[in-house]
Amino acid sequence: VAALRAQIDALVAPEIDPTGAGGKIVGAAVGIIGPDVRTVLGYGVSALGSTVVPGGDTLFEIGSNTEPMTGLILADGVVKGRMRLDDPVSRLLPNAVLPTSPGAPLQLVHLATHTGGLANFPDNLVGAEPNAAAGYTRALLFDYLGRAPLRTRPGAEMAYTSGRILYQSGYSNLGFGLLGVALQDAAKSASYDALFVEYLGDPLGMKDTRVNVPASSAARIARGSLTGMAEVPSQIDTLEASGALRSTGTDMLAFIAANLAPPATLADAVALSQTVQFDLGGRKMALGFSVETRNGRTYFSKSGGTPGFTSHVRFTTNPSAGVVVLTNIGQTDAAERLAETVLEAMLDNSSDND
């Protein structure tokens, strides 16, 4: 473990500058999990001007890493018979007027795989930048959906990653946000926080992962930044399922652990959430995760970003190992780069010890 820690330190150190100079990461929590290790390593500082090093209980905005969790909640509903992946969205939202495409109804699976043909964001957001989705309401959402055209036929297009370039031809935060609203209604949950806590937070012991962090935990919140300047905290209303959660390295490792060795109560749901639903020209998408095969291994990954934070989750089940990188800087590819290189270092270390 000491040798692995030294390797990871050497990989992370060049990416860190507590002042954010040159677009470098101000602070990071790097969580690693494997057969013989489960820990969170801290680097840099939790906020510009601070001396506090992030730890396993430091809270970061995780952006679109909320989506695989939403996907797992959907999968749990499917395996328990409450809904089907191919259910039309209208089944869960019977009073909403939704966009249509002849012969191709908008289905739950489309929302969970960025293949629904919906815009990335609705055109009637009311918040001030950088929090355009602040103050957004269900009434505004359904007003937009009632008049919005689909960009493509559902199931015909998707977002995909080549190298570190994300092609967002079909990417839709709106789609995942709508999925969260539909799941909340199906579960009769009062909020996305309540939905998350009931179906994942409590079962997996993710005690700190929330949209709304309680005042008692406020001192543990990292402060976001961009180009060496502090960023305001992110706020997303109504579309929370697309990227509003805040989490810690410890909680994110609990989520990865559930994907590597799920508890019996979630085993079938995890298996479904990791099943590729769309493979368009080699671009594979499960329920919230991108899936790729390299050198005989299958990798699951997801990036997340808000104006002041960037995160990346990456794991493989052969052998079981995973990494989460949480950073308090926006618009960087360093989190993805580090997750990939740290995971490969772990796998190489595991092979050397066999």
Side-chain angles (χ1 to χ4, degrees):
V1 174
L4 177 61
R5 171 67 193 260
Q7 283 182 275
I8 295 173
D9 287 350
L11 291 169
V12 178
E15 304 281 3
I16 302 290
D17 187 311
T19 69
K24 289 191 175 182
I25 296 170
V26 174
V30 178
I32 59 174
I33 184 169
D36 302 311
V37 63
R38 180 170 176 169
T39 191
V40 179
L41 310 175
Y43 301 91
V45 294
S46 61
L48 289 168
S50 171
T51 59
V52 177
V53 179
D57 65 349
T58 303
L59 282 151
F60 293 78
E61 296 172 10
I62 64 170
S64 290
N65 266 303
T66 304
E67 293 176 4
M69 301 181 193
T70 305
L72 182 52
I73 294 171
L74 168 62
D76 185 60
V78 171
V79 300
K80 291 178 178 173
R82 295 192 296 268
M83 60 199 71
R84 294 167 50 99
L85 287 181
D86 60 1
D87 273 345
V89 179
S90 58
R91 177 177 174 268
L92 300 191
L93 297 170
N95 297 322
V97 178
L98 301 173
T100 60
S101 178
L106 186 62
Q107 300 173 354
L108 297 177
V109 69
H110 297 140
L111 302 183
T113 54
H114 296 290
T115 58
L118 291 165
N120 192 13
F121 289 102
D123 66 7
N124 62 343
L125 297 175
V126 295
E129 294 292 350
N131 286 323
Y136 201 60
T137 64
R138 286 173 64 109
L140 287 167
L141 171 63
F142 292 128
D143 171 73
Y144 171 78
L145 291 170
R147 58 180 171 78
L150 293 175
R151 296 184 296 178
T152 60
R153 181 175 60 84
E157 189 176 86
M158 66 187 295
Y160 64 100
T161 300
S162 176
R164 294 187 178 90
I165 302 173
L166 176 64
Y167 294 86
Q168 293 187 314
S169 56
Y171 198 90
S172 179
N173 284 290
L174 168 62
F176 255 99
L178 177 59
L179 176 62
V181 170
L183 293 173
Q184 285 170 230
D185 280 15
K188 296 181 172 57
S189 296
S191 65
Y192 184 77
D193 258 347
L195 179 77
F196 174 82
V197 169
E198 179 178 357
Y199 289 96
L200 289 187
D202 283 350
L204 298 182
M206 298 174 69
K207 63 183 180 64
D208 285 318
T209 304
R210 301 289 187 274
V211 173
N212 298 301
V213 176
S216 59
S217 301
R220 295 191 282 118
I221 300 175
R223 304 300 173 183
S225 66
L226 182 64
T227 61
M229 302 291 289
E231 273 287 350
V232 299
S234 176
Q235 182 179 342
I236 300 172
D237 293 320
T238 298
L239 305 176
E240 295 96 337
S242 68
L245 283 175
R246 292 161 170 83
S247 190
T248 65
T250 297
D251 276 10
M252 293 301 291
L253 285 185
F255 179 64
I256 296 175
N259 276 275
L260 298 176
T265 53
L266 282 173
D268 291 341
V270 167
L272 178 59
S273 74
Q274 294 179 3
T275 300
V276 172
Q277 302 297 330
F278 286 92
D279 182 352
L280 303 181
R283 307 191 297 267
K284 299 178 181 178
M285 196 72 195
L287 300 181
F289 282 120
S290 296
V291 185
E292 63 176 307
T293 301
R294 186 190 302 176
N295 300 326
R297 286 196 181 106
T298 298
Y299 294 88
F300 299 85
S301 61
K302 185 72 182 87
S303 289
T306 65
F309 293 81
T310 310
S311 61
H312 195 82
V313 168
R314 186 172 178 85
F315 63 89
T316 179
T317 56
N318 180 32
S320 292
V323 174
V324 58
V325 177
L326 304 174
T327 77
N328 59 353
I329 185 169
Q331 299 181 18
T332 179
D333 65 355
E336 179 177 353
R337 184 168 61 247
L338 284 174
E340 184 174 331
T341 56
V342 168
L343 181 55
E344 292 309 305
M346 292 175 62
L347 295 171
D348 289 344
N349 187 275
S350 176
S351 298
D352 292 342
N353 291 332
D354 286 344

